[in-house]
Amino acid sequence: MTLSTSSETRTSRAVLTDSVHRRRPQFRRLAAWSTLEALPALLSGLLVARAVNSFVARDLQAGFGWLAVFAVSVVIGAWGTSQTMRLLAAVVEPFRDDLVTGVVKGAMRRSAAPSASPHTADVARLSEQVETAREAYAGVLMVVQQFIVVTLAALVGLLTLSPLALVFVIPPVLIAVGVFVVALRMMADSQRASLFADERFAEDASTLASGLRDVVACGAEDQVAASVGQHIDAHASATRALGRLEAVGTLAIAAGSWLPLLLILGFGSWLVDHGASAGVIVGAATYVLQGLQPALEALVNGLSGPGLWLMVTLRRIVASMDAAEETAETGSDGSLIGPDRTLRLSSVSFAYSEWAAPVVDRLDLTVPMGDHLAVVGPSGVGKSTLAGLMSGLLEPQTGTVRLGEVRVGALSRAALTRERVLIPQEAYVFAGTVRDNLTYLRENAPAGELEHAVTALGGTSLVERLGGYDATPDLVSMSSGERQLIALVRAYLSPAPLVILDEATCHLDPQAEAVVEEAFHERPGTLVVIAHRMSSAARANRILVLDGTTSSVGSGDELLASSPLYRDLVGHWQGLGTSPHMTDDSAASRSWWSARRPRRHVRGFLWQRRRAG
């Protein structure tokens, strides 16, 4: 079994199959010794039947002799069992070593990544999950091996004793095993759902504990409570489903063990009429009670206990090892590897519902590191949606959004916070001091850098008006523009190399907007501005023009020559009504947008209401 990262994602079933395949010699020896272990199950009914017939014939010496032979077979079977346990250890321990090797390799890849830190999940996988998988693997192998050996031995014994008895035994056993196998798959899904719901609850609770200030500031207590409550309800629902399915396992035991016994006893007179003796009836019952019933009960209890934990735990371990390569690229904490922070959108499409037309449709865009890109277009064209896709807040239905070589959606929350910062139109200021608000994304920002950021963005007079850095501002009295300026300084101070301003200066006057955008232009990193005014486009290195069906990107001069819509937008910005370069095509474009805009606004409004509801 090769546990190193491969190009194809492994499954837990493939890992188990590989483990058996690689250790075929050990399993052959296990099968050989299992024949001795099966000896009591094979001879029990035959010897009991002969003993009963001897006792009925008043041949006590022969009856006790057959029971003595049965006792000897039990001793031989016990010796065979001890040998199979030794061989099971020879299979299980190497399997554990393979898992440990794979987990250690994954942990080393994560630790070797830049900005890597000790990862407690790796320790948990090594010390707890691997041991759980090892014990579960041993338990599953034991119960499956015993079920196969004992069941085959009992059926062969029944065939030798009375072939007619098989008619009353085989159908109930097959039905019971089939029902249990179907229930087991559903039990695994419920067990996995219960585990994931518990983990999501723990993750949300941890995030909530560190973000209570944000929750209160946004007035989102009810929404957060509902979100966390969903995980609790999901966990309870999965647990109830698991309990119901375990009841199905109990019914399978009853159907596969007690029903054959009832049938044999109920049709005992019919068997006697067809040549069976009293000893045969007792021997057949012995095969059911001493062979099939314990084997089936052990199989059901073993697979519904250790078997489920093996399926769930092994899947988690294998998934962590398969993710080692991607985690090595993104770092143990989800950070990017290497200096490249190029933002790449490849054939990206997004619609707010399956019935709505795409807001972003098959968009290809590359934003090199250090670029300053402005996004312009009529209202409702999808500029804010594009900002959400770039920042990882929205997941595209088709295509990929990558930062460097890593998919933005694969980054952790902490990594997203470090790699990009998004300032929307309506920024908020939370309860706390001015310093707390400004340094929220970089709590240990030096005083000199804080002062530089405030000065560069033109916020010195605002800080003075609010009473200084250690004052607690009156949130009610602050204007929308002042709130935006606080959020902009916060973004400027953040360590994120990618800044996305989604009309984040719409409440500032043009002069203040120019100061802010010039400051961000000089800030190291990449800047994407969803333009509120065309003056923002004039300050950018490149401009992306969205018109809903196509897009154009280039410098201002290039777009004036090639994009009628851009000429139209520039003409309106200059207050000319029509641009000197405006053509019939651009006039038609403007009419088309005038007709289309209300539908887009209604669709976006309904989607927001649906998400909020």
Side-chain angles (χ1 to χ4, degrees):
M1 179 177 59
T2 302
L3 289 177
S4 60
T5 303
S6 63
S7 58
E8 296 181 358
T9 301
R10 294 178 299 272
T11 63
S12 54
R13 181 184 302 176
V15 170
L16 293 174
T17 302
D18 288 343
S19 175
V20 174
H21 179 75
R22 292 185 63 208
R23 297 179 177 88
R24 284 176 294 180
Q26 291 92 328
F27 278 99
R28 290 194 190 101
R29 291 195 293 270
L30 181 63
W33 281 105
S34 296
T35 58
L36 287 180
E37 185 182 9
L39 191 62
L42 177 64
L43 299 179
S44 60
L46 287 170
L47 296 176
V48 168
R50 291 181 182 272
V52 169
N53 288 334
S54 297
F55 289 135
V56 171
R58 299 181 183 276
D59 188 353
L60 299 181
Q61 183 177 0
F64 284 115
W66 291 120
L67 292 181
V69 173
F70 180 52
V72 172
S73 72
V74 171
V75 173
I76 296 175
W79 182 52
T81 300
S82 67
Q83 297 302 311
T84 58
M85 292 299 102
R86 179 179 60 82
L87 290 173
L88 277 175
V91 171
V92 170
E93 292 306 321
F95 175 75
R96 173 189 177 277
D97 294 342
D98 287 338
L99 293 182
V100 171
T101 300
V103 171
V104 169
K105 285 183 177 178
M108 292 177 65
R109 291 190 184 97
R110 295 177 181 88
S111 299
S115 304
S117 58
H119 212 246
T120 56
D122 295 326
V123 178
R125 292 189 191 98
L126 184 60
S127 62
E128 181 179 353
Q129 294 185 18
V130 170
E131 288 302 319
T132 300
R134 168 188 172 276
E135 294 175 6
Y137 183 60
V140 168
L141 282 181
M142 186 182 303
V143 298
V144 170
Q145 177 257 350
Q146 289 181 348
F147 175 77
I148 294 175
V149 167
V150 173
T151 300
L152 287 178
L155 293 178
V156 171
L158 271 173
L159 178 63
T160 305
L161 181 66
S162 175
L164 291 176
L166 292 175
V167 176
F168 306 113
V169 174
I170 292 180
V173 171
L174 291 178
I175 292 174
V177 172
V179 170
F180 175 68
V181 169
V182 174
L184 185 64
R185 295 180 63 87
M186 301 171 65
M187 291 168 70
D189 292 338
S190 298
Q191 183 76 60
R192 195 157 44 246
S194 175
L195 179 64
F196 289 169
D198 188 52
E199 290 182 350
R200 285 192 292 266
F201 170 74
E203 180 182 354
D204 281 5
S206 176
T207 303
L208 175 62
S210 62
L212 286 175
R213 182 170 56 185
D214 295 351
V215 173
V216 174
C218 297
E221 294 93 334
D222 293 339
Q223 293 90 327
V224 170
S227 176
V228 175
Q230 288 178 355
H231 301 321
I232 298 175
D233 294 340
H235 184 273
S237 177
T239 303
R240 287 193 295 267
L242 189 60
R244 290 192 294 267
L245 291 169
E246 288 177 348
V248 174
T250 303
L251 293 176
I253 295 174
S257 57
W258 297 111
L259 183 57
L261 178 64
L262 294 177
L263 291 175
I264 289 174
L265 296 178
F267 287 88
S269 59
W270 181 84
L271 290 173
V272 170
D273 293 340
H274 288 76
S277 63
V280 169
I281 302 299
V282 175
T286 301
Y287 277 125
V288 173
L289 291 177
Q290 298 300 318
L292 293 176
Q293 195 272 344
L296 183 60
E297 184 174 2
L299 179 72
V300 170
N301 292 335
L303 293 185
S304 60
L308 285 182
W309 278 111
L310 177 63
M311 296 170 68
V312 174
T313 306
L314 188 58
R315 176 174 293 189
R316 301 300 301 278
I317 294 173
V318 172
S320 73
M321 291 186 288
D322 282 331
E325 183 174 348
E326 181 175 358
T327 307
E329 292 177 353
T330 60
S332 64
D333 52 3
S335 59
L336 293 174
I337 293 284
D340 182 25
R341 294 296 190 277
T342 299
L343 181 65
R344 296 180 178 88
L345 285 76
S346 303
S347 299
V348 170
S349 297
F350 181 86
Y352 285 103
S353 77
E354 57 182 315
W355 303 280
V359 180
V360 177
D361 190 14
R362 297 186 299 275
L363 176 64
D364 292 309
L365 177 67
T366 299
V367 185
M369 183 179 177
D371 195 12
H372 179 179
L373 176 74
V375 182
V376 301
S379 178
V381 73
K383 300 189 297 295
S384 293
T385 301
L386 178 60
L389 292 167
M390 288 179 169
S391 62
L393 296 181
L394 298 176
E395 187 75 18
Q397 274 95 26
T398 62
T400 58
V401 181
R402 292 183 177 272
L403 197 53
E405 296 300 324
V406 181
R407 209 168 41 82
V408 172
L411 293 172
S412 65
R413 295 181 183 178
L416 280 174
T417 300
R418 285 191 305 273
E419 297 297 336
R420 63 93 180 101
V421 59
L422 169 68
I423 301 298
Q425 299 177 33
E426 300 299 331
Y428 72 88
V429 178
F430 50 78
T433 65
V434 174
R435 188 188 306 276
D436 291 338
N437 275 277
L438 297 177
T439 61
Y440 178 65
L441 298 177
R442 190 181 172 192
E443 295 182 355
N444 298 321
E449 294 189 25
L450 173 60
E451 188 67 36
H452 169 74
V454 171
T455 303
L457 272 69
T460 303
S461 60
L462 172 61
V463 172
E464 293 175 351
R465 190 188 74 78
L466 295 176
Y469 292 114
D470 296 322
T472 301
D474 181 6
L475 304 182
V476 177
S477 65
M478 293 183 66
S479 67
S480 298
E482 290 173 335
R483 291 171 179 268
Q484 277 193 332
L485 192 54
I486 292 290
L488 288 164
V489 175
R490 185 188 302 155
Y492 187 92
L493 270 174
S494 78
L498 171 62
V499 175
I500 302 173
L501 305 180
D502 182 12
E503 299 191 10
T505 58
C506 62
H507 296 299
L508 302 180
D509 59 57
Q511 291 76 19
E513 179 185 64
V515 170
V516 167
E517 291 185 0
E518 287 293 341
F520 275 100
H521 182 75
E522 297 297 327
R523 179 184 183 271
T526 306
L527 176 63
V528 177
V529 177
I530 308 300
H532 172 67
R533 302 180 179 96
M534 290 300 295
S535 54
S536 297
R539 284 186 285 268
N541 299 335
R542 295 191 306 150
I543 304 165
L544 172 66
V545 182
L546 297 179
D547 67 1
T549 56
T550 61
S551 61
S552 304
V553 64
S555 66
D557 292 338
E558 292 170 344
L559 291 174
L560 281 174
S562 62
S563 173
L565 177 57
Y566 182 72
R567 291 197 298 269
D568 194 359
L569 293 171
V570 171
H572 282 288
W573 170 57
Q574 292 175 342
L576 301 178
T578 59
S579 169
H581 304 283
M582 192 171 183
T583 64
D584 292 339
D585 290 339
S586 61
S589 173
R590 184 175 57 190
S591 299
W592 183 82
W593 278 110
S594 298
R596 183 177 176 86
R597 187 186 310 166
R599 290 197 296 273
R600 287 186 174 271
H601 279 311
V602 170
R603 186 173 63 224
F605 172 76
L606 291 177
W607 182 81
Q608 293 287 353
R609 293 282 295 181
R610 184 160 58 249
R611 289 194 66 184

